[in-house]
Structures are given as structure tokens and as C-alpha cells.
């Protein structure tokens, strides 16, 4: 994903099982950047539908590349709660 230094990127996600059914999340998911000098995700993530869908905003800082990782504890396996991780590779370029 490419954005400029003058852009913020709203994002939305939900956790689903292997059949595409919404999975319960234990607590609040977290989102972090591999390099907050390039882009950051301010806490906290929010949910307007009781925790089925989560929202956040990636804020660009300076040009460069980083990875945004979202982690949630979810009950998607018969064994119980497991960490679920989603990632987004981000390239921030200088706004003309």
C-alpha cells in the first residue's frame, strides 16, 4: 500500500474463522508499526458494533517502508484462544 506524508489511512478489520464466520475476540486488538518514524497507529482501536469489526487509522510520518501488524486474541480453534495476526506492508512517499 502506498500513501504520502500528507495522508492518513483509515482501516477496518474483523477476525473470521476458516469458513468466513465472525470469530469472538478476547479484549481489544492492538496495532503496531515496525517503524514509528515512518508510520504509526495511535491507540486504541475502536469498535462500534460490539467487537465484531475494529477501526483504526495509520498516520504517516516520514518517507520510508514499514509493516503494520494487528494482533488479536481470538477463539477460532477448538483448543481455545489463539493469537491472530494480520499485516499490511506500507510505503510512505514524500508528498509533492
Amino acid at each position: 500500500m502506498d500513501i504520502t506524508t500528507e495522508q492518513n489511512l483509515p482501516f477496518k478489520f474483523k477476525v473470521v474463522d476458516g469458513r468466513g464466520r465472525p470469530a469472538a475476540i478476547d479484549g481489544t486488538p492492538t496495532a503496531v508499526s515496525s517503524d514509528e518514524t515512518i508510520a504509526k497507529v495511535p491507540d486504541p482501536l475502536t469498535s462500534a458494533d460490539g467487537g465484531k469489526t475494529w477501526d483504526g487509522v495509520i498516520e504517516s510520518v516520514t518517507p520510508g517502508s514499514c509493516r503494520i501488524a494487528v494482533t488479536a486474541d481470538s477463539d477460532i480453534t477448538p483448543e481455545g484462544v489463539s493469537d491472530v495476526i494480520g499485516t499490511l506492508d506500507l510505503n510512505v512517499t514524500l508528498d509533492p
Side-chain angles (χ1 to χ4, degrees), residues 2-60:
D2 295 327
I3 63 174
T4 71
T5 52
E6 295 299 315
Q7 292 179 301
N8 291 333
L9 180 64
F11 67 94
K12 191 175 285 226
F13 72 94
K14 64 182 174 180
V15 177
V16 296
D17 67 12
R19 294 184 180 173
R21 298 174 296 202
I25 294 177
D26 183 27
T28 301
T30 59
V32 296
S33 172
S34 63
D35 189 339
E36 289 196 345
T37 65
I38 295 170
K40 59 186 177 178
V41 182
D43 285 332
L45 300 177
T46 59
S47 177
D49 63 2
K52 295 177 184 165
T53 305
W54 292 85
D55 299 286
V57 176
I58 300 169
E59 296 179 353
S60 61

Side-chain angles (χ1 to χ4, degrees), residues 13-17 23-26 29-30 69-77 80-87:
F13 72 94
K14 64 182 174 180
V15 177
V16 296
D17 67 12
I25 294 177
D26 183 27
T30 59
V70 177
T71 304
D73 291 334
S74 183
D75 190 9
I76 60 170
T77 64
V81 176
S82 302
D83 282 342
V84 178
I85 301 170
T87 61

